[in-house]
Amino acid sequence: DAKTTQPPSMDCAEGRAANLPCNHSTISGNEYVYWYRQIHSQGPQYIIHGLKNNETNEMASLIITEDRKSSTLILPHATLRDTAVYYCIVRVGGINTGTASKLTFGTGTRLQVTL
Amino acid sequence: DGGITQSPKYLFRKEGQNVTLSCEQNLNHDAMYWYRQDPGQGLRLIYYSQIVNDFQKGDIAEGYSVSREKKESFPLTVTSAQKNPTAFYLCASSGRDHRVHFGNGTRLTVT
């Protein structure tokens, strides 16, 4: 699976959009971009994933550049409860590939949301 | 309510003792995983299982053992051969959509 690079930490004011970048310049054509977050002392939580189109769900939006070498996770209105470590992961994905979803975690971005 | 249950949340053992961490899921997922997390670090894969009665080593399997006798259960044994067993252990599972669901972990302290 391709390696990712994320800034170690970011701050965001409550109510503002949080934009978390991720570089994955060696991503392969069949690799998806996944985002998870981990609140202190809990298990990671799935946020969103995508292949090449931008994606949006109730939690966040994922913007993937046209060359797929980088992406941005957007939390449109950050709250204090969004304070967590955010992990960007690339892996071979998609439904029914027949392989276990092994995830390779880096150290992620620690997002601190402040009043 | 579907999910992954890890118990206990905190576990204390003396050095030299084997200890087994429990993981149960009711999501009907075929694949299950064990990860280890050390302070300030990301998760590292210990073992994973794609189906009952089958499992493979992950990146840091030395000193650990697993079994997968039932679809719902994937216990992890931390043996006395594991040099640095104190860590936060996370169990996970995934289904056909490949989204990985995590439990809330067991924090193991060995003294």
Side-chain angles (χ1 to χ4, degrees):
Chain A
D1 292 341
K3 186 176 177 180
T4 62
T5 304
Q6 299 177 253
S9 64
M10 294 182 65
D11 292 329
C12 179
E14 190 176 33
R16 305 297 292 269
N19 298 287
L20 291 87
C22 180
N23 181 287
H24 32 79
S25 57
T26 59
I27 192 170
S28 302
N30 62 348
E31 288 183 312
Y32 285 65
V33 180
Y34 283 76
W35 283 85
Y36 283 77
R37 74 179 183 184
Q38 186 177 24
I39 295 169
H40 184 62
S41 293
Q42 296 182 22
Q45 175 191 23
Y46 166 85
I47 301 173
I48 199 167
H49 76 282
L51 182 62
K52 52 185 176 182
N53 297 323
N54 297 338
E55 302 287 345
T56 296
N57 64 20
E58 65 279 3
M59 290 182 69
S61 294
L62 174 60
I63 309 298
I64 302 173
T65 58
E66 193 169 340
D67 63 8
R68 303 210 321 124
K69 293 185 177 182
S70 65
S71 61
T72 301
L73 178 75
I74 300 173
L75 308 178
H77 306 286
T79 71
L80 296 177
R81 287 180 292 182
D82 292 320
T83 293
V85 178
Y86 288 76
Y87 297 100
C88 169
I89 299 162
V90 294
R91 65 167 298 277
V92 175
I95 296 173
N96 299 330
T97 60
T99 60
S101 298
K102 294 184 292 177
L103 302 176
T104 300
F105 287 80
T107 51
T109 296
R110 184 173 299 277
L111 175 68
Q112 180 69 53
V113 180
T114 57
L115 292 172
Chain B
D1 203 17
I4 298 173
T5 301
Q6 292 188 247
S7 59
K9 188 169 178 65
Y10 298 96
L11 193 54
F12 298 88
R13 281 294 183 271
K14 294 290 187 185
E15 194 174 331
Q17 293 178 334
N18 291 354
V19 57
T20 298
L21 280 60
S22 167
C23 177
E24 303 281 330
Q25 55 102 356
N26 60 5
L27 299 168
N28 199 34
H29 285 166
D30 285 320
M32 295 187 74
Y33 316 81
W34 274 104
Y35 286 88
R36 167 187 173 134
Q37 188 173 34
D38 294 287
Q41 304 295 315
L43 283 68
R44 292 184 290 167
L45 183 64
I46 304 172
Y47 267 99
Y48 66 101
S49 167
Q50 297 192 70
I51 200 166
V52 174
N53 293 322
D54 181 66
F55 48 83
Q56 286 82 39
K57 293 181 179 180
D59 301 318
I60 55 165
E62 186 174 349
Y64 299 98
S65 66
V66 293
S67 63
R68 187 86 187 277
E69 297 176 2
K70 298 188 300 181
K71 187 175 187 178
E72 303 79 20
S73 179
F74 191 40
L76 172 76
T77 297
V78 184
T79 74
S80 55
Q82 168 49 235
K83 291 182 171 42
N84 297 297
T86 294
F88 187 45
Y89 290 89
L90 286 154
C91 178
S93 70
S94 65
R96 291 164 62 85
D97 68 357
H98 289 272
R99 295 182 192 183
V100 181
H101 300 251
F102 286 85
N104 278 328
T106 292
R107 193 168 297 279
L108 173 65
T109 302
V110 177
T111 57

mmCIF file of all heavy atoms in Angstrom, chain B residues 21-48:
data_model
loop_
_atom_site.group_PDB
_atom_site.id
_atom_site.type_symbol
_atom_site.label_atom_id
_atom_site.label_comp_id
_atom_site.label_asym_id
_atom_site.label_seq_id
_atom_site.Cartn_x
_atom_site.Cartn_y
_atom_site.Cartn_z
ATOM 1 N N LEU B 21 -6.509 -11.577 25.351
ATOM 2 C CA LEU B 21 -7.424 -10.458 25.188
ATOM 3 C C LEU B 21 -8.614 -10.918 24.344
ATOM 4 O O LEU B 21 -8.439 -11.575 23.307
ATOM 5 C CB LEU B 21 -6.720 -9.298 24.482
ATOM 6 C CG LEU B 21 -5.806 -8.405 25.335
ATOM 7 C CD1 LEU B 21 -4.672 -9.195 25.965
ATOM 8 C CD2 LEU B 21 -5.242 -7.267 24.502
ATOM 9 N N SER B 22 -9.794 -10.540 24.799
ATOM 10 C CA SER B 22 -11.020 -10.990 24.149
ATOM 11 C C SER B 22 -11.479 -9.994 23.088
ATOM 12 O O SER B 22 -11.357 -8.779 23.269
ATOM 13 C CB SER B 22 -12.106 -11.147 25.217
ATOM 14 O OG SER B 22 -13.383 -11.282 24.628
ATOM 15 N N CYS B 23 -12.017 -10.520 21.984
ATOM 16 C CA CYS B 23 -12.628 -9.685 20.950
ATOM 17 C C CYS B 23 -13.805 -10.442 20.351
ATOM 18 O O CYS B 23 -13.636 -11.557 19.833
ATOM 19 C CB CYS B 23 -11.628 -9.337 19.852
ATOM 20 S SG CYS B 23 -12.376 -8.380 18.514
ATOM 21 N N GLU B 24 -14.970 -9.829 20.417
ATOM 22 C CA GLU B 24 -16.189 -10.422 19.872
ATOM 23 C C GLU B 24 -16.873 -9.400 18.966
ATOM 24 O O GLU B 24 -16.956 -8.229 19.307
ATOM 25 C CB GLU B 24 -17.158 -10.801 20.999
ATOM 26 C CG GLU B 24 -16.585 -11.754 22.036
ATOM 27 C CD GLU B 24 -16.581 -13.186 21.562
ATOM 28 O OE1 GLU B 24 -17.470 -13.560 20.756
ATOM 29 O OE2 GLU B 24 -15.693 -13.959 22.002
ATOM 30 N N GLN B 25 -17.381 -9.879 17.807
ATOM 31 C CA GLN B 25 -18.124 -8.979 16.920
ATOM 32 C C GLN B 25 -19.450 -9.614 16.517
ATOM 33 O O GLN B 25 -19.524 -10.842 16.341
ATOM 34 C CB GLN B 25 -17.285 -8.610 15.682
ATOM 35 C CG GLN B 25 -16.772 -9.790 14.883
ATOM 36 C CD GLN B 25 -17.536 -10.088 13.612
ATOM 37 O OE1 GLN B 25 -18.554 -9.457 13.305
ATOM 38 N NE2 GLN B 25 -17.041 -11.042 12.823
ATOM 39 N N ASN B 26 -20.473 -8.780 16.394
ATOM 40 C CA ASN B 26 -21.786 -9.261 15.952
ATOM 41 C C ASN B 26 -22.205 -8.581 14.657
ATOM 42 O O ASN B 26 -23.392 -8.367 14.410
ATOM 43 C CB ASN B 26 -22.831 -9.058 17.051
ATOM 44 C CG ASN B 26 -22.999 -7.601 17.433
ATOM 45 O OD1 ASN B 26 -22.407 -6.715 16.824
ATOM 46 N ND2 ASN B 26 -23.822 -7.328 18.437
ATOM 47 N N LEU B 27 -21.209 -8.239 13.838
ATOM 48 C CA LEU B 27 -21.454 -7.568 12.565
ATOM 49 C C LEU B 27 -21.503 -8.558 11.403
ATOM 50 O O LEU B 27 -21.649 -8.141 10.254
ATOM 51 C CB LEU B 27 -20.340 -6.535 12.327
ATOM 52 C CG LEU B 27 -20.247 -5.426 13.387
ATOM 53 C CD1 LEU B 27 -18.956 -4.641 13.243
ATOM 54 C CD2 LEU B 27 -21.456 -4.499 13.276
ATOM 55 N N ASN B 28 -21.315 -9.834 11.689
ATOM 56 C CA ASN B 28 -21.283 -10.875 10.661
ATOM 57 C C ASN B 28 -20.141 -10.648 9.654
ATOM 58 O O ASN B 28 -20.265 -10.991 8.473
ATOM 59 C CB ASN B 28 -22.628 -10.967 9.924
ATOM 60 C CG ASN B 28 -22.784 -12.296 9.195
ATOM 61 O OD1 ASN B 28 -22.302 -13.330 9.650
ATOM 62 N ND2 ASN B 28 -23.451 -12.276 8.054
ATOM 63 N N HIS B 29 -19.057 -10.085 10.123
ATOM 64 C CA HIS B 29 -17.906 -9.836 9.256
ATOM 65 C C HIS B 29 -17.019 -11.063 9.162
ATOM 66 O O HIS B 29 -16.796 -11.763 10.154
ATOM 67 C CB HIS B 29 -17.079 -8.662 9.802
ATOM 68 C CG HIS B 29 -17.715 -7.344 9.574
ATOM 69 N ND1 HIS B 29 -17.294 -6.192 10.224
ATOM 70 C CD2 HIS B 29 -18.726 -6.951 8.746
ATOM 71 C CE1 HIS B 29 -18.014 -5.157 9.804
ATOM 72 N NE2 HIS B 29 -18.891 -5.601 8.923
ATOM 73 N N ASP B 30 -16.483 -11.303 7.962
ATOM 74 C CA ASP B 30 -15.561 -12.427 7.791
ATOM 75 C C ASP B 30 -14.166 -12.108 8.332
ATOM 76 O O ASP B 30 -13.502 -12.953 8.902
ATOM 77 C CB ASP B 30 -15.446 -12.795 6.311
ATOM 78 C CG ASP B 30 -16.671 -13.539 5.807
ATOM 79 O OD1 ASP B 30 -17.188 -14.390 6.546
ATOM 80 O OD2 ASP B 30 -17.110 -13.264 4.677
ATOM 81 N N ALA B 31 -13.688 -10.889 8.077
ATOM 82 C CA ALA B 31 -12.306 -10.537 8.413
ATOM 83 C C ALA B 31 -12.215 -9.884 9.785
ATOM 84 O O ALA B 31 -13.050 -9.058 10.150
ATOM 85 C CB ALA B 31 -11.728 -9.604 7.358
ATOM 86 N N MET B 32 -11.176 -10.269 10.525
ATOM 87 C CA MET B 32 -10.914 -9.652 11.824
ATOM 88 C C MET B 32 -9.421 -9.383 11.952
ATOM 89 O O MET B 32 -8.599 -10.040 11.295
ATOM 90 C CB MET B 32 -11.409 -10.540 12.973
ATOM 91 C CG MET B 32 -12.928 -10.713 12.961
ATOM 92 S SD MET B 32 -13.569 -11.567 14.402
ATOM 93 C CE MET B 32 -13.421 -10.305 15.672
ATOM 94 N N TYR B 33 -9.082 -8.412 12.815
ATOM 95 C CA TYR B 33 -7.702 -7.922 12.908
ATOM 96 C C TYR B 33 -7.354 -7.593 14.359
ATOM 97 O O TYR B 33 -8.217 -7.245 15.163
ATOM 98 C CB TYR B 33 -7.536 -6.621 12.097
ATOM 99 C CG TYR B 33 -8.175 -6.628 10.749
ATOM 100 C CD1 TYR B 33 -9.535 -6.391 10.598
ATOM 101 C CD2 TYR B 33 -7.415 -6.872 9.604
ATOM 102 C CE1 TYR B 33 -10.137 -6.412 9.353
ATOM 103 C CE2 TYR B 33 -8.005 -6.880 8.356
ATOM 104 C CZ TYR B 33 -9.365 -6.656 8.237
ATOM 105 O OH TYR B 33 -9.951 -6.670 6.992
ATOM 106 N N TRP B 34 -6.046 -7.673 14.640
ATOM 107 C CA TRP B 34 -5.524 -7.148 15.891
ATOM 108 C C TRP B 34 -4.420 -6.142 15.571
ATOM 109 O O TRP B 34 -3.510 -6.423 14.787
ATOM 110 C CB TRP B 34 -4.946 -8.251 16.770
ATOM 111 C CG TRP B 34 -5.964 -8.910 17.617
ATOM 112 C CD1 TRP B 34 -6.537 -10.132 17.439
ATOM 113 C CD2 TRP B 34 -6.553 -8.388 18.820
ATOM 114 N NE1 TRP B 34 -7.442 -10.407 18.439
ATOM 115 C CE2 TRP B 34 -7.465 -9.349 19.301
ATOM 116 C CE3 TRP B 34 -6.387 -7.196 19.543
ATOM 117 C CZ2 TRP B 34 -8.219 -9.157 20.459
ATOM 118 C CZ3 TRP B 34 -7.134 -7.003 20.686
ATOM 119 C CH2 TRP B 34 -8.032 -7.984 21.141
ATOM 120 N N TYR B 35 -4.533 -4.971 16.212
ATOM 121 C CA TYR B 35 -3.524 -3.921 16.087
ATOM 122 C C TYR B 35 -2.983 -3.595 17.472
ATOM 123 O O TYR B 35 -3.668 -3.741 18.483
ATOM 124 C CB TYR B 35 -4.129 -2.643 15.500
ATOM 125 C CG TYR B 35 -4.418 -2.692 14.031
ATOM 126 C CD1 TYR B 35 -5.636 -3.177 13.554
ATOM 127 C CD2 TYR B 35 -3.496 -2.228 13.109
ATOM 128 C CE1 TYR B 35 -5.919 -3.203 12.201
ATOM 129 C CE2 TYR B 35 -3.769 -2.243 11.747
ATOM 130 C CZ TYR B 35 -4.977 -2.738 11.307
ATOM 131 O OH TYR B 35 -5.253 -2.758 9.962
ATOM 132 N N ARG B 36 -1.785 -3.084 17.462
ATOM 133 C CA ARG B 36 -1.154 -2.586 18.692
ATOM 134 C C ARG B 36 -0.847 -1.111 18.483
ATOM 135 O O ARG B 36 -0.412 -0.701 17.388
ATOM 136 C CB ARG B 36 0.132 -3.365 18.936
ATOM 137 C CG ARG B 36 1.033 -2.773 19.986
ATOM 138 C CD ARG B 36 2.365 -3.464 20.081
ATOM 139 N NE ARG B 36 3.226 -2.735 21.004
ATOM 140 C CZ ARG B 36 3.943 -3.315 21.948
ATOM 141 N NH1 ARG B 36 3.923 -4.638 22.097
ATOM 142 N NH2 ARG B 36 4.695 -2.598 22.747
ATOM 143 N N GLN B 37 -1.033 -0.305 19.540
ATOM 144 C CA GLN B 37 -0.706 1.116 19.481
ATOM 145 C C GLN B 37 0.130 1.496 20.695
ATOM 146 O O GLN B 37 -0.269 1.234 21.833
ATOM 147 C CB GLN B 37 -1.962 1.968 19.408
ATOM 148 C CG GLN B 37 -1.692 3.442 19.162
ATOM 149 C CD GLN B 37 -2.954 4.238 18.927
ATOM 150 O OE1 GLN B 37 -3.996 3.955 19.493
ATOM 151 N NE2 GLN B 37 -2.876 5.253 18.055
ATOM 152 N N ASP B 38 1.262 2.119 20.437
ATOM 153 C CA ASP B 38 2.118 2.648 21.498
ATOM 154 C C ASP B 38 1.937 4.163 21.565
ATOM 155 O O ASP B 38 1.529 4.783 20.584
ATOM 156 C CB ASP B 38 3.573 2.257 21.229
ATOM 157 C CG ASP B 38 3.769 0.745 21.342
ATOM 158 O OD1 ASP B 38 3.745 0.258 22.479
ATOM 159 O OD2 ASP B 38 3.913 0.072 20.299
ATOM 160 N N PRO B 39 2.256 4.772 22.693
ATOM 161 C CA PRO B 39 1.998 6.215 22.869
ATOM 162 C C PRO B 39 2.564 7.070 21.744
ATOM 163 O O PRO B 39 3.729 6.930 21.383
ATOM 164 C CB PRO B 39 2.684 6.513 24.203
ATOM 165 C CG PRO B 39 2.642 5.224 24.945
ATOM 166 C CD PRO B 39 2.830 4.157 23.907
ATOM 167 N N GLY B 40 1.723 7.932 21.175
ATOM 168 C CA GLY B 40 2.159 8.848 20.125
ATOM 169 C C GLY B 40 2.407 8.198 18.778
ATOM 170 O O GLY B 40 2.913 8.851 17.857
ATOM 171 N N GLN B 41 2.056 6.939 18.662
ATOM 172 C CA GLN B 41 2.314 6.208 17.415
ATOM 173 C C GLN B 41 1.009 5.822 16.726
ATOM 174 O O GLN B 41 -0.064 5.829 17.333
ATOM 175 C CB GLN B 41 3.113 4.934 17.718
ATOM 176 C CG GLN B 41 4.421 5.173 18.445
ATOM 177 C CD GLN B 41 5.390 5.952 17.608
ATOM 178 O OE1 GLN B 41 5.583 5.670 16.415
ATOM 179 N NE2 GLN B 41 5.998 6.973 18.190
ATOM 180 N N GLY B 42 1.152 5.453 15.460
ATOM 181 C CA GLY B 42 0.004 4.898 14.748
ATOM 182 C C GLY B 42 -0.190 3.437 15.131
ATOM 183 O O GLY B 42 0.528 2.897 15.966
ATOM 184 N N LEU B 43 -1.184 2.809 14.521
ATOM 185 C CA LEU B 43 -1.478 1.407 14.809
ATOM 186 C C LEU B 43 -0.594 0.492 13.964
ATOM 187 O O LEU B 43 -0.317 0.791 12.802
ATOM 188 C CB LEU B 43 -2.942 1.105 14.484
ATOM 189 C CG LEU B 43 -4.002 1.579 15.478
ATOM 190 C CD1 LEU B 43 -4.105 3.086 15.521
ATOM 191 C CD2 LEU B 43 -5.349 0.964 15.132
ATOM 192 N N ARG B 44 -0.178 -0.613 14.564
ATOM 193 C CA ARG B 44 0.599 -1.610 13.824
ATOM 194 C C ARG B 44 -0.127 -2.946 13.853
ATOM 195 O O ARG B 44 -0.611 -3.371 14.897
ATOM 196 C CB ARG B 44 1.998 -1.742 14.430
ATOM 197 C CG ARG B 44 2.860 -0.510 14.224
ATOM 198 C CD ARG B 44 4.263 -0.728 14.768
ATOM 199 N NE ARG B 44 4.290 -0.797 16.226
ATOM 200 C CZ ARG B 44 5.337 -1.222 16.926
ATOM 201 N NH1 ARG B 44 6.423 -1.636 16.306
ATOM 202 N NH2 ARG B 44 5.270 -1.237 18.250
ATOM 203 N N LEU B 45 -0.163 -3.624 12.712
ATOM 204 C CA LEU B 45 -0.935 -4.852 12.565
ATOM 205 C C LEU B 45 -0.185 -6.043 13.146
ATOM 206 O O LEU B 45 0.961 -6.307 12.787
ATOM 207 C CB LEU B 45 -1.232 -5.083 11.083
ATOM 208 C CG LEU B 45 -2.083 -6.291 10.727
ATOM 209 C CD1 LEU B 45 -3.496 -6.148 11.299
ATOM 210 C CD2 LEU B 45 -2.140 -6.471 9.207
ATOM 211 N N ILE B 46 -0.861 -6.786 14.031
ATOM 212 C CA ILE B 46 -0.257 -7.954 14.666
ATOM 213 C C ILE B 46 -0.636 -9.229 13.896
ATOM 214 O O ILE B 46 0.214 -9.981 13.439
ATOM 215 C CB ILE B 46 -0.728 -8.087 16.133
ATOM 216 C CG1 ILE B 46 -0.427 -6.820 16.924
ATOM 217 C CG2 ILE B 46 -0.054 -9.292 16.795
ATOM 218 C CD1 ILE B 46 -1.027 -6.811 18.327
ATOM 219 N N TYR B 47 -1.912 -9.489 13.798
ATOM 220 C CA TYR B 47 -2.452 -10.650 13.086
ATOM 221 C C TYR B 47 -3.760 -10.248 12.423
ATOM 222 O O TYR B 47 -4.428 -9.326 12.869
ATOM 223 C CB TYR B 47 -2.746 -11.803 14.061
ATOM 224 C CG TYR B 47 -1.643 -12.807 14.244
ATOM 225 C CD1 TYR B 47 -0.787 -12.723 15.343
ATOM 226 C CD2 TYR B 47 -1.466 -13.865 13.355
ATOM 227 C CE1 TYR B 47 0.223 -13.654 15.530
ATOM 228 C CE2 TYR B 47 -0.461 -14.804 13.538
ATOM 229 C CZ TYR B 47 0.383 -14.685 14.629
ATOM 230 O OH TYR B 47 1.379 -15.624 14.818
ATOM 231 N N TYR B 48 -4.124 -10.997 11.384
ATOM 232 C CA TYR B 48 -5.444 -10.816 10.805
ATOM 233 C C TYR B 48 -5.971 -12.155 10.325
ATOM 234 O O TYR B 48 -5.212 -13.101 10.094
ATOM 235 C CB TYR B 48 -5.440 -9.778 9.682
ATOM 236 C CG TYR B 48 -4.662 -10.158 8.447
ATOM 237 C CD1 TYR B 48 -5.304 -10.636 7.313
ATOM 238 C CD2 TYR B 48 -3.274 -9.987 8.401
ATOM 239 C CE1 TYR B 48 -4.602 -10.962 6.167
ATOM 240 C CE2 TYR B 48 -2.557 -10.313 7.262
ATOM 241 C CZ TYR B 48 -3.224 -10.798 6.150
ATOM 242 O OH TYR B 48 -2.527 -11.119 5.012
#
